[in-house]
Amino acid sequence: MRLTTALVSIASALAFACSAVATPVVGGYLLLNPTNGPSKLQALADNAANIPINRLYLSFARPGMTYVPGSNTLEHVGLDYATSGDYGFADIKAHVATLKAAGVEVFLSVGGWNYGCFPYVYTYYSVGGYGTSTPNFYKIQAFGGSLSDCTESNMWCYTCEPQSEGTTLASFDIFPEPSNSSTWQAAQQYIVSSAGGDAPVFHPELAPGKMWTDSKNNQVNLVPGDGYFATVNRDPYQDLVYLAKDLGLTGVDIDYEEMWHADYFKNGPSAGPWTSHQTVYKYGAIMKDVMLNIASIQPSLKISTAASAAGGLSTNWWGGNLKNIWYNLFKWYPDVYNGIANSGGVNVMTYDLSNNEQYYECPDANTCSLSQQVLYYMNSYSSNGMTATVGYEVGIPAYPDPTHDPTHQLPLIQSELTTILAAQGSKGGFFWELYKAQGTSANVDATSVAQQICKAALGASTARCSGSIPQPGGTSPSSTASATATTTTTTTTSTSPSPTGSCSVAAWSSTTTYNSGAVVSYNGHQYTAQWWSQGNIPTAGAPWTDNGVCSGGSPGTGSCSGVSAWSTSTAYSGGAKVTYDGYIYTAQWWTQGDTPGSASVWTKGSACSSSLRRRLYSL
């Protein structure tokens, strides 16, 4: 389906506006996966009135999604929540209703790092496009030797994700340009009419699932992503709005991180500085398309976006980090920027920062600590008249690579959190990610981060601000069986052995009173209380003593819920899904005895664990 010109015009879209959010937002992202994503969402819904956030971001859906209104299935959405039946639609919808009834807004986030990284282009024009001294060039040298040696077989030297993640091209996606859509065409016309820089040029030839020729060197590569939406003649940005309406969501979130696009389509002198105007136009058209469809389909729906730390800066751009994108959007298309900011918000990803001056990663010599850099970037937005919300990252940052350059990482420790909250806390904030590991005891854990943001924004006496992020318990819920799995085998759930011994003790509860000597389990560890305690998170230290990982080993991860493990003796038909070596594989045709990962009949899909991380930019 497509909107006709009678439904929406550009003029009506200009009237799109949402009243400013009266209550500050305390938001947390939830990274979903079939293994424990459903049980995490279940735990959050079960404790909705007491979790220390008032907005939940479900992440990530593919930008090239397909959803037919009323179909009630997530099969072509790419949310990675379930692998059969309705792919989790009914389960998510029920949890959304429960969360909203308890005062928690629920947004669906589209994009993120993996669903915005084009490995070939990112390697050749972002990491390797500025000589050999860029911060991630060591990956090219380590896994290929030189840029020309980076190919799909070595995942273009693992710049989008490290080798340990075992990614394939199916792990990635890009934001498409659905040129056959009337609302996309209207959005393009709007962008062209107010362009304030280079002449806009759109690139529908960069189509997910299609071959693309790099005009700079004539290399031909497959564009990552699923082109099903084009096959069935749909606009993914319109389908996002239809999906949000059918799920009963509060809003949608566009997490745009296509650095490769800015670096490939840059303009200016060979030695720089350059402009990234074409990426402003593409991003602006995406947001406009979504807003046009919100105005027509579900006017109450909110829209938010994740923005880069350097996105609000007006100074010259020397490549990378999506610098100037949101500044120029605000300058040329203020109704789009303000429409987002006054609805769901412009959320600035002020994390994954570094103090490595070899790569000029401090804004200046006196602005190198995490809090100094965060406040510098937030000030760049506010000083330019741009409303924006600050972000926090829990645990070990993804950048710089903790195995390569840990000494220049800037994790969120308590003193830095206190400083940031003193300046930004009353405005609210968001963090990545609800269940991200703390890393070291010096880092602030997710519950404590949420509680402190909550108290600063909503008031210390707000009941939910003293709550905790609940740990998932029991088995993951099954997806609603509105469709039949194509596997020829009986579908079973295979899980890792449950920890024995120490983790057989009850899980810690924020509402339980514990006396000295009480033993609990929390996040895969056993803890002993040293004195009376109630509401004290075990990972925060006293009065709890960490006795180590349950059973003396690392907690298991298990295989993908609802998908059976591959068997050499089983016959599989085309479309059958199995798990093998921690990944989901799909059979392309009938097969028996062909090992996934080595036989072409099997297409490698998503990892069963949630280890794939959002990776950001180097500044």
Side-chain angles (χ1 to χ4, degrees):
M1 282 180 63
R2 289 290 178 269
L3 291 177
T4 66
T5 54
L7 289 174
V8 174
S9 67
I10 295 179
S12 66
L14 292 175
F16 178 94
C18 293
S19 58
V21 178
T23 302
V25 170
V26 182
Y29 278 84
L30 173 62
L31 180 62
L32 294 171
N33 63 82
T35 304
N36 56 16
S39 60
K40 289 176 180 177
L41 184 56
Q42 175 80 57
L44 291 166
D46 289 345
N47 297 275
N50 299 310
I51 53 177
I53 59 173
N54 59 9
R55 180 180 292 178
L56 176 65
Y57 294 97
L58 303 178
S59 55
F60 289 104
R62 284 188 180 272
M65 70 168 66
T66 299
Y67 176 78
V68 177
S71 63
N72 296 345
T73 176
L74 303 179
E75 181 177 6
H76 296 290
V77 172
L79 191 55
D80 206 19
Y81 182 86
T83 56
S84 62
D86 66 358
Y87 293 80
F89 181 93
D91 199 46
I92 291 177
K93 184 171 183 176
H95 293 321
V96 167
T98 300
L99 286 156
K100 288 176 62 179
V104 179
E105 297 181 331
V106 186
F107 280 54
L108 176 60
S109 187
V110 176
W113 180 248
N114 281 29
Y115 286 170
C117 194
F118 189 157
Y120 159 72
V121 182
Y122 182 66
T123 297
Y124 275 71
Y125 296 100
S126 293
V127 176
Y130 299 97
T132 61
S133 61
T134 57
N136 284 319
F137 198 86
Y138 79 92
K139 297 179 181 180
I140 293 171
Q141 296 171 320
F143 297 106
S146 65
L147 184 60
S148 61
D149 293 320
C150 291
T151 65
E152 186 175 359
S153 64
N154 60 10
M155 209 57 224
W156 290 278
C157 290
Y158 307 106
T159 58
C160 282
E161 285 289 346
Q163 184 182 29
S164 60
E165 301 297 346
T167 53
T168 67
L169 195 62
S171 306
F172 303 99
D173 205 343
I174 69 167
F175 282 80
E177 299 182 19
S179 55
N180 61 327
S181 160
S182 61
T183 50
W184 177 259
Q185 293 168 7
Q188 284 182 310
Q189 292 170 14
Y190 167 74
I191 292 299
V192 171
S193 69
S194 298
D198 303 333
V201 179
F202 291 92
H203 296 278
E205 73 277 6
L206 275 164
K210 300 294 185 181
M211 302 304 294
W212 169 73
T213 301
D214 180 355
S215 61
K216 300 179 189 292
N217 60 17
N218 293 320
Q219 282 202 48
V220 180
N221 285 288
L222 182 67
V223 180
D226 186 355
Y228 181 72
F229 73 90
T231 302
V232 295
N233 196 35
R234 299 198 64 82
D235 178 350
Y237 309 120
Q238 182 185 83
D239 283 357
L240 170 62
V241 178
Y242 279 128
L243 175 60
K245 179 181 180 181
D246 284 359
L247 282 174
L249 295 168
T250 311
V252 294
D253 176 61
I254 306 300
D255 190 336
Y256 185 82
E257 301 185 38
E258 288 188 333
M259 281 196 299
W260 63 268
H261 189 277
D263 292 318
Y264 186 82
F265 292 109
K266 66 186 180 185
N267 189 26
S270 59
W274 303 280
T275 64
S276 54
H277 296 170
Q278 300 306 324
T279 305
V280 178
Y281 301 143
K282 178 181 179 180
Y283 170 73
I286 292 167
M287 302 307 293
K288 192 65 175 178
D289 192 350
V290 177
M291 294 168 76
L292 282 164
N293 283 291
I294 288 176
S296 173
I297 298 167
Q298 186 75 347
S300 63
L301 196 68
K302 296 181 179 181
I303 182 172
S304 67
T305 194
S308 79
L313 293 169
S314 60
T315 51
N316 288 338
W317 179 63
W318 295 93
N321 67 36
L322 294 180
K323 185 177 181 180
N324 306 150
I325 300 299
W326 285 265
Y327 170 78
N328 283 324
L329 182 76
F330 175 75
K331 183 169 65 173
W332 300 331
Y333 312 102
D335 60 303
V336 172
Y337 185 94
N338 290 327
I340 302 165
N342 294 330
S343 175
V346 175
N347 302 318
V348 184
M349 298 180 288
T350 43
Y351 40 73
D352 284 352
L353 302 175
S354 168
N355 62 2
N356 190 339
E357 279 299 82
Q358 178 182 354
Y359 305 111
Y360 307 100
E361 292 184 319
C362 300
D364 58 56
N366 298 314
T367 310
C368 275
S369 72
L370 176 65
S371 58
Q372 288 173 329
Q373 292 196 49
V374 167
L375 298 180
Y376 172 88
Y377 292 118
M378 292 308 299
N379 183 63
S380 72
Y381 279 83
S382 61
S383 63
N384 285 316
M386 305 160 66
T387 301
T389 302
V390 69
Y392 305 83
E393 182 169 32
V394 175
I396 299 173
Y399 177 84
D401 189 320
T403 64
H404 178 257
D405 187 18
T407 61
H408 290 108
Q409 285 197 325
L410 296 174
L412 185 64
I413 61 176
Q414 185 57 57
S415 60
E416 296 287 63
L417 176 58
T418 299
T419 301
I420 299 169
L421 286 171
Q424 294 285 328
S426 63
K427 304 172 187 177
F430 70 101
F431 63 96
W432 176 266
E433 184 261 358
L434 279 159
Y435 291 93
K436 190 163 184 273
Q438 183 179 3
T440 70
S441 59
N443 300 338
V444 189
D445 65 278
T447 287
S448 185
V449 169
Q451 288 175 339
Q452 292 183 62
I453 299 172
C454 187
K455 291 176 180 178
L458 306 181
S461 62
T462 303
R464 71 167 60 252
C465 295
S466 296
S468 302
I469 297 170
Q471 294 302 308
T475 58
S476 299
S478 300
S479 58
T480 302
S482 61
T484 303
T486 55
T487 179
T488 61
T489 63
T490 301
T491 301
T492 58
T493 300
S494 173
T495 59
S496 296
S498 298
T500 58
S502 61
C503 263
S504 62
V505 298
W508 173 80
S509 169
S510 63
T511 59
T512 301
T513 298
Y514 297 97
N515 293 318
S516 176
V519 180
V520 300
S521 60
Y522 183 78
N523 201 25
H525 283 237
Q526 175 186 296
Y527 294 84
T528 301
Q530 303 306 300
W531 55 83
W532 183 94
S533 169
Q534 182 180 16
N536 301 103
I537 304 167
T539 52
W544 294 101
T545 298
D546 188 347
N547 300 323
V549 176
C550 299
S551 300
S554 299
T557 56
S559 63
C560 296
S561 175
V563 182
S564 59
W566 173 79
S567 170
T568 187
S569 61
T570 301
Y572 298 95
S573 298
K577 295 181 183 294
V578 300
T579 60
Y580 183 79
D581 197 25
Y583 283 80
I584 290 178
Y585 286 82
T586 303
Q588 302 306 298
W589 54 84
W590 185 94
T591 177
Q592 183 177 11
D594 297 303
T595 306
S598 60
S600 59
V601 63
W602 293 105
T603 298
K604 189 176 183 181
S606 302
C608 293
S609 71
S610 60
S611 60
L612 296 183
R613 298 185 298 267
R614 167 205 300 267
R615 294 183 177 271
L616 205 55
Y617 43 82
S618 57
L619 292 169

